[in-house]
């Protein structure tokens, strides 16, 4: 089944403790992206990657890092998490031509920083 | 990036047809219109996409007038399971066009289907 898989689904952690949220897709998609969703603010793009070793900032990149060493994986790294990064995070991917299927999103990661 | 405007919420009853309109006055020539559906705590799911006139698939229809400054998502005979947030997005079609960072979600329209 074609899908985007995120892990973990839920995480509660403490301020300052480095964490990584993994994202993997099995559709051989070039483009991957991370979003965070907060009440009243909709989905906001954090980082995106157009292909292996090509990443760029989205609208809210502060406090996050990403890497794209392999086509299928696009982990989101929080080096020193803070409570304002408590949010619902989504990873998404798509192929080079968005004409037919749009973006495929993962099931989400609910992150709580205390 | 073309800004979109949608109603914040809509209510409907089971079996009715629902039309959600999105305004995008500054849509560009290369922009397509895409609609997504999102259930609570789930990722958005692609519904339909179009450039002009009418597009229909197994779940919805998309109507786009000639000036393309708005679009209407039509859901036939909704059921309780169609209760969700619906997002209208406008952006260039190809990543190679340089607009890879687009796909900006607005607040969407909360559709509530009542029994």
């Amino acid at each position: 089944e074609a899908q985007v898989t995120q892990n973990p689904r839920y995480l509660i952690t403490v301020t300052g403790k480095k964490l990584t949220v993994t994202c993997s897709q099995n559709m051989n998609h070039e483009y991957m992206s991370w979003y965070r969703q907060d009440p009243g603010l909709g989905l906001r793009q954090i980082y995106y990657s157009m292909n292996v070793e090509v990443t760029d900032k989205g609208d809210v990149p502060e406090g996050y890092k990403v890497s794209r060493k392999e086509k299928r994986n696009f982990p989101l790294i929080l080096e020193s998490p803070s409570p304002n990064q408590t949010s619902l995070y989504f990873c998404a991917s798509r192929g080079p031509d968005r004409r037919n299927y749009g973006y495929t999103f993962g099931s989400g990661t609910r992150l709580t920083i205390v | 990036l073309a800004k979109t405007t949608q109603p914040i919420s809509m209510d409907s009853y089971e079996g009715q047809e629902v039309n959600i309109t999105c305004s995008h006055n500054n849509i560009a020539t290369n922009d397509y219109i895409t609609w997504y559906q999102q259930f609570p705590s789930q990722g958005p799911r692609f519904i339909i996409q179009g450039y002009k006139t009418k597009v229909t698939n197994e779940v919805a229809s998309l109507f786009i007038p000639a000036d393309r400054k708005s679009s209407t998502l039509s859901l036939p005979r909704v059921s309780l399971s169609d209760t969700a947030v619906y997002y209208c997005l406008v952006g260039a079609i190809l990543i190679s066009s340089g607009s890879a960072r687009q796909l900006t979600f607005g607040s969407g329209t909360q559709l509530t289907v009542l029994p």
Side-chain angles (χ1 to χ4, degrees), chain B residues 33-85:
Chain B
I33 301 151
T34 311
W35 286 80
Y36 286 80
Q37 174 193 58
Q38 186 180 28
F39 298 112
S41 297
Q42 293 186 26
R45 183 176 72 98
F46 172 87
I47 302 175
I48 197 166
Q49 185 175 71
Y51 184 81
K52 61 180 178 181
T53 62
K54 177 183 175 182
V55 179
T56 297
N57 62 22
E58 63 275 9
V59 298
S61 294
L62 179 60
F63 299 92
I64 306 167
D67 66 5
R68 304 201 325 121
K69 294 184 184 299
S70 67
S71 59
T72 299
L73 174 72
S74 181
L75 304 172
R77 298 179 297 282
V78 294
S79 64
L80 297 177
S81 62
D82 292 317
T83 293
V85 178

Side-chain angles (χ1 to χ4, degrees), chain B residues 6-11 108-112:
Chain B
Q6 306 172 229
I8 294 175
S9 64
M10 295 180 67
D11 289 344
T109 298
Q110 171 66 58
L111 172 66
T112 302

Side-chain angles (χ1 to χ4, degrees), chain A residues 3-11 21-24 33-37 43 76 87-92 104-111, chain B residues 38-44:
Chain A
Q3 60 185 356
V4 175
T5 303
Q6 295 178 229
N7 280 296
R9 290 294 311 277
Y10 303 91
L11 178 63
V21 184
T22 64
C23 175
S24 180
S33 181
W34 276 102
Y35 293 84
R36 61 177 289 175
Q37 186 170 33
L43 284 119
L76 180 69
S87 187
L88 179 59
Y89 291 85
F90 291 103
C91 180
T104 301
F105 282 81
S107 299
T109 296
R110 187 165 293 281
L111 190 56
Chain B
Q38 186 180 28
F39 298 112
S41 297
Q42 293 186 26

